[in-house]
Every structure is written in C-alpha cells, then in structure tokens.
Amino acid sequence: AQKVTQAQTEISVVEKEDVTLDCVYETRDTTYYLFWYKQPPSGELVFLIRRNSFDEQNEISGRYSWNFQKSTSSFNFTITASQVVDSAVYFCALSERTNSGYALNFGKGTSLLVTP
Amino acid sequence: DAGITQSPRHKVTETGTPVTLRCHQTENHRYMYWYRQDPGHGLRLIHYSYGVKDTDKGEVSDGYSVSRSKTEDFLLTLESATSSQTSVYFCAISESTAGIYNEQFFGPGTRLTVL
C-alpha cells in the first residue's frame, strides 16, 4: 500500500532560522511523482513542487529547496532563513495509480510556526 | 491561479438531510477530485472523475456519491448527512498526459457542519 509519513507534527522556529520538513514514502510503483503543498492559515492549498521518480536532482526555488533521495525513500523540504509568512501546514503527497488515472496520497502534514 | 470555484463555501445542515456540493472549473481539465480534510488525517480522496460521466471511488467513498454531466462541473452528494461527515471538502483538478502525473490544483474548500 502507498504511504506517506510526515513524522513531524508541529515545528516551531524563530524567524531567519533554517528548517527542514521530512517526508518518507512507500510505494511499489517504479514510476511515481512526489509533491509538496502549502496550506496557510487562510486555508487554501498551494502547489509548491512536483518531482518524478527518475529525477533525483535537488531543486531550489528562492529560499525553498527539496532533497529527493530514492535510496531512503525521502523527499525533504528545507526553508532557508524562514519568515513569518512561511507559517503554514505543509503536506507531502505521493501519486497513486488508480483504475483510470491517478490520485494523490497525502501525508498528515507538518504545521510550521515561524515567530518573529 | 487555476479557475476553480466551490459552492457553497460554508454550510450547516442537520443529520439525515441531503447535501450537494458543487465544484466548477474553467480550465477544461480532464480530471476532477473530491477530498476531505480532517484534523490528524491530512487529505483523503472521496471520489474522482476522469471524464464526463466517468467516475470512480476513492479511499473514503462510503456515504458519498458524485456526478459529472459536464466537463466543468463535478458534484458531490451526501445522500443522508451524518455528523462524521463534518469536514472541509476540497475539489481539485488536473490534466494528465501519457502517464505523466501533473500537479493537482485545489479549490478554496467548503466547510460543512452536520449537526
């Protein structure tokens, strides 16, 4: 069965600290995709990144970076120099093939609080 | 931003009443999804659609039905609402080509309370 584990339920940091959100997944698919979404206090879900299983290059986008390691089935997300606006719940998700397409299997989320 | 709207945005209803939530998209995407979000559970798939009149069940489909008569609309119906269906419901859309799983874009959510 597909599974996504975000072991950190809540993290609290002070502004400008770096923080890493962990994501570990299980799948039997040889081709799969991993995603990160952000859910700020306003409640909407914002897409951050998609990574396919054949591309293990790390990705950097501004203060955000992602480390994909197939050997450890992990897709970790690091925020450098965190800011108050980064406070949100972050979800890691894994593509799951269905009978006629695919769906997303979400982790339970990590709530990040960045204080001034 | 992807053109996805959900209606109503908030609803309070009583146990045993039928409820229909609507998701409307302007992106002409093939796939549409309904998820529910509950504390401690993340998001869980209820039903999804892979085309007009083509739907399939997700992880938590019991007590829910869906319909898609037009590309742009995906309806979620609770035939007889129960308190366990109190949740926030999200609609999502995506386009997928030849086994490439593109990202899903989410609507703003509907907060449903069943008393």
Side-chain angles (χ1 to χ4, degrees), chain A residues 4 16 26-27 36-37 44 53 64 67 75-76 84 92 95:
Chain A
V4 177
K16 299 184 182 177
E26 295 177 28
T27 182
W36 276 94
Y37 284 84
E44 72 270 24
S53 52
Y64 294 172
N67 179 251
F75 186 42
N76 296 337
V84 172
C92 179
S95 64

Side-chain angles (χ1 to χ4, degrees), chain A residues 31-33 35 37 39 43-45 47 50 91 95-109, chain B residues 30-31 33 35 37 40-45 48 50 56 90 94 96 99-108:
Chain A
T31 301
Y32 53 90
Y33 288 76
F35 304 79
Y37 284 84
Q39 187 174 42
E44 72 270 24
L45 283 151
F47 165 74
R50 179 190 69 160
F91 291 98
S95 64
E96 181 174 9
R97 274 184 303 171
T98 62
N99 293 335
S100 46
Y102 86 101
L104 291 182
N105 191 326
F106 283 84
K108 295 182 179 180
Chain B
R30 178 183 177 192
Y31 292 89
Y33 307 81
Y35 293 88
Q37 183 178 23
H41 288 277
L43 284 92
R44 293 179 292 174
L45 181 67
Y48 69 98
Y50 49 99
D56 205 349
F90 285 97
S94 75
S96 180
I100 297 175
Y101 301 155
N102 293 318
E103 56 272 22
Q104 294 182 11
F105 294 102
F106 285 79

Side-chain angles (χ1 to χ4, degrees), chain B residues 2 6 9 16-17 21 24 26 33 35 37 40 47 57 59 62 75-76 80 96 101-102 110:
Chain B
Q6 293 184 229
R9 293 292 314 279
T17 59
L21 308 183
H24 179 79
T26 58
Y33 307 81
Y35 293 88
Q37 183 178 23
H47 282 280
K57 296 179 179 180
E59 176 190 356
D62 287 349
L75 303 181
L76 176 70
S80 178
S96 180
Y101 301 155
N102 293 318
T110 293

Side-chain angles (χ1 to χ4, degrees), chain B residues 36 62-64 78-87 89 112 114:
Chain B
R36 60 179 288 175
D62 287 349
Y64 302 95
L78 292 66
E79 300 290 347
S80 178
T82 67
S83 58
S84 64
Q85 293 176 311
T86 293
S87 186
Y89 291 86
L112 176 67
V114 183

